């Protein structure tokens, strides 16, 4: 007991004294779709950061002890003195921060940052080919990479990025729509359109997926005086079976009318109207992973690929297992890399 406790205390002391803690100002707050905020923060002195790195953020007005990690989505260039982080409002700390920002305004808060810190996601920048899978706000480590591609369309590394992004609501794609469209056009104008492959998946609301799950497992319990309680499983009609087996087509028909957390009707917004270049890359439902991996194996039959993943734990576990399985059964080898802040 004494040994682990002293290790913990030494680690804590080391962290306190080696910290690069600095006070920063919140220069701007932008509210994005899906209850997510983009904070523009002033850079502390000698702050330099690479794509994929993250900082720890403390707001003394919310908590004196808590530090939370956020990936730097826009890294400061030599002439700039600010950087961006994106915060999805989910949980006590982020909700309290959102409330204080609305009540007091950004200037009224005492904010500190520590870092930047290295992250396994930095490896994407050195890959000849990188598979990047992001879910929701897990897109953050890849945003700075896109910016790098936009400013340096002809660099050799990263050579090519396959970016697959899963969001619940189509509006969330707007976080990245401008940047992604500009990057694709810039790469095209530089004769390197092959460097960026984007696939977008919109899964719609939880309410609907629950409803869908319930419909997939209908159990009927009846009470009969002679036999007591009987339990029956309802059989699907042929039409229902077809619907469940074609997730990207017919299922859409009955997932369209949910309500998102901002109260607007899901399915009304269409990214294709504003950003046609992205609109044609949108699919409905969760990715069909066998198809996705099958395509990658087909493209790179004997390669050693890196799959970078940022998203919920269940997705991370699923993809780690898929990488192991595919590496064991085909000539394409996958190394799985992930980063998760919970
Ligand atoms: N730098 C980093 O590494 C960062 C990582 N994160 C991590 O990213 C995660 C994302 O959070 P948040 O934005 O709230 O995500 P959401 O809960 O909004 O989920 C995003 C999307 O992922 C889909 N999804 C979830 N599980 C699976 C699965 N097993 N297979 C396929 N799709 C799946 C969801 O689909 P459905 O609607 O069907 O559930 C949804 O469309 C957090 O867990 C956080 O830890 C966040 C920020 C930065």
């Amino acid at each position: 007991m004494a040994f682990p406790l002293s290790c913990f205390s030494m680690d804590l002391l080391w962290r306190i004294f080696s910290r690069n803690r600095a006070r920063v100002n919140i220069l701007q707050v932008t509210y994005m779709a899906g209850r997510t905020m983009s904070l523009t923060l002033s850079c502390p002195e000698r702050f330099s950061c690479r794509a994929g790195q993250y900082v720890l953020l403390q707001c003394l007005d919310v908590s004196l002890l808590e530090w939370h990690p956020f990936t730097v989505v826009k890294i400061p260039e030599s002439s700039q003195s600010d950087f961006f982080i994106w915060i999805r409002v989910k949980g006590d700390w982020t909700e309290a921060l959102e409330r204080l920002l609305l009540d007091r305004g950004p200037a009224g808060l005492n904010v500190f940052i520590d870092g930047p810190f290295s992250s396994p996601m930095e490896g994407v920048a050195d890959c000849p080919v990188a598979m990047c899978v992001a879910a929701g706000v897990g897109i953050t480590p890849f945003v700075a990479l896109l910016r790098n591609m936009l400013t340096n369309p002809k660099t050799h590394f990263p050579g090519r990025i396959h970016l697959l992004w899963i969001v619940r609501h189509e509006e969330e794609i707007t976080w990245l729509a401008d940047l992604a469209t500009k990057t694709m056009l810039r790469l095209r104008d530089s004769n390197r359109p092959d460097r960026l492959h984007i696939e977008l998946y919109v899964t719609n609301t939880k309410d609907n997926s629950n409803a869908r799950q319930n419909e997939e497992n209908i159990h009927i319990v009846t009470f009969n005086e002679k036999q007591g309680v009987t339990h029956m499983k309802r059989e699907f009609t042929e039409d229902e079976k077809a619907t469940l087996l074609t997730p990207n087509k017919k299922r859409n028909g009955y997932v369209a009318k949910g309500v998102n957390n901002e109260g607007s009707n899901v399915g009304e917004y269409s990214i294709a109207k504003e950003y046609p270049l992205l609109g044609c890359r949108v699919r409905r439902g969760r990715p069909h992973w066998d198809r996705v991996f099958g395509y990658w194996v087909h493209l790179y039959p004997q390669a050693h690929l890196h799959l970078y993943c940022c998203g919920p734990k269940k997705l991370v576990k699923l993809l780690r297992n898929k990488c192991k399985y595919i590496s064991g059964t085909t000539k394409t080898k996958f190394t799985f890399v992930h980063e998760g802040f919970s």
Side-chain angles (χ1 to χ4, degrees):
M1 189 66 192
F3 180 68
L5 204 66
S6 46
C7 283
F8 174 77
S9 320
M10 273 159 60
D11 180 57
L12 195 71
L13 285 175
W14 184 78
R15 274 162 188 272
I16 290 169
F17 289 114
S18 67
R19 257 185 172 166
N20 191 16
R21 185 174 183 266
R23 194 187 196 104
V24 292
N25 296 319
I26 303 177
L27 304 175
Q28 196 182 347
V29 184
T30 311
Y31 295 91
M32 310 195 294
R35 215 174 161 198
T36 304
M37 305 181 289
S38 170
L39 301 192
T40 309
L41 302 173
S42 62
C43 284
E45 260 182 59
R46 290 190 299 277
F47 182 84
S48 87
C49 179
R50 284 193 302 273
Q53 292 193 325
Y54 69 95
V55 293
L56 292 175
L57 186 78
Q58 184 189 42
C59 178
L60 293 182
D61 311 86
V62 178
S63 161
L64 295 178
L65 293 175
E66 286 182 55
W67 288 84
H68 289 262
F70 296 98
T71 305
V72 177
V73 293
K74 184 175 164 285
I75 54 179
E77 281 157 27
S78 49
S79 57
Q80 293 169 330
S81 54
D82 57 19
F83 68 98
F84 294 4
I85 57 172
W86 289 352
I87 302 179
R88 168 153 266 174
V89 181
K90 205 173 181 182
D92 299 346
W93 191 87
T94 49
E95 275 172 16
L97 180 67
E98 182 194 44
R99 229 180 359 259
L100 283 170
L101 281 168
L102 291 169
D103 292 349
R104 295 195 203 167
L109 300 187
N110 295 297
V111 178
F112 289 84
I113 63 149
D114 188 7
F117 295 98
S118 287
S119 141
M121 294 297 129
E122 286 173 61
V124 183
D126 303 322
C127 277
V129 178
M131 283 34 208
C132 303
V133 177
V137 73
I139 189 67
T140 49
F142 307 115
V143 179
L145 268 167
L146 284 193
R147 259 184 238 283
N148 271 356
M149 274 195 162
L150 176 66
T151 43
N152 308 303
K154 286 192 171 172
T155 47
H156 290 295
F157 291 104
R160 181 179 294 167
I161 289 184
H162 291 264
L163 177 61
L164 191 155
W165 185 24
I166 314 162
V167 291
R168 195 156 286 147
H169 305 296
E170 198 156 333
E171 289 93 324
E172 289 168 33
I173 299 174
T174 52
W175 303 350
L176 202 66
D178 255 335
L179 176 64
T181 305
K182 278 186 194 153
T183 310
M184 283 191 283
L185 291 174
R186 184 81 205 279
L187 290 172
R188 193 193 61 185
D189 293 344
S190 312
N191 256 346
R192 294 296 312 274
D194 56 304
R195 284 189 71 198
L196 181 61
H197 292 243
I198 297 187
E199 279 185 64
L200 304 162
Y201 288 83
V202 177
T203 58
N204 282 326
T205 62
K206 256 221 146 77
D207 303 348
N208 284 315
S209 63
N210 286 343
R212 207 163 61 216
Q213 256 177 12
N214 290 340
E215 282 186 56
E216 284 168 21
N217 299 305
I218 291 181
H219 293 257
I220 301 172
V221 177
T222 51
F223 184 76
N224 172 315
E225 274 183 11
K226 280 186 190 158
Q227 292 165 331
V229 176
T230 42
H231 170 233
M232 258 166 53
K233 225 171 137 185
R234 173 156 109 39
E235 289 289 318
F236 291 114
T237 64
E238 282 311 308
D239 200 35
E240 281 171 327
K241 277 184 197 163
T243 302
L244 293 168
L245 289 171
T246 51
N248 292 340
K249 271 181 160 185
K250 289 193 177 179
R251 252 191 214 202
N252 256 353
Y254 70 100
V255 288
K257 295 209 177 57
V259 174
N260 70 11
N261 53 7
E262 280 96 37
S264 63
N265 281 337
V266 171
E268 275 180 6
Y269 180 78
S270 165
I271 193 84
K273 284 186 193 154
E274 268 180 278
Y275 302 95
L277 215 52
L278 289 184
C280 61
R281 287 167 170 80
V282 174
R283 291 159 195 252
R284 307 290 159 183
R286 288 182 172 190
H288 191 300
W289 293 114
D290 289 339
R291 186 198 64 79
V292 172
F293 276 88
Y295 175 60
W296 289 341
V297 169
H298 174 75
L299 279 183
Y300 308 104
Q302 309 221 341
H304 183 173
L305 303 171
H306 285 73
L307 193 158
Y308 292 87
C309 173
C310 276
K313 283 182 187 147
K314 278 189 184 164
L315 177 66
V316 169
K317 195 174 163 198
L318 187 147
L319 291 183
R320 180 181 285 122
N321 290 338
K322 277 264 174 244
C323 284
K324 262 191 207 159
Y325 178 75
I326 301 288
S327 301
T329 53
T330 70
K331 288 192 176 154
T332 309
K333 305 295 167 218
F334 280 90
T335 296
F336 182 75
V337 184
H338 98 276
E339 179 188 68
F341 305 144
S342 25

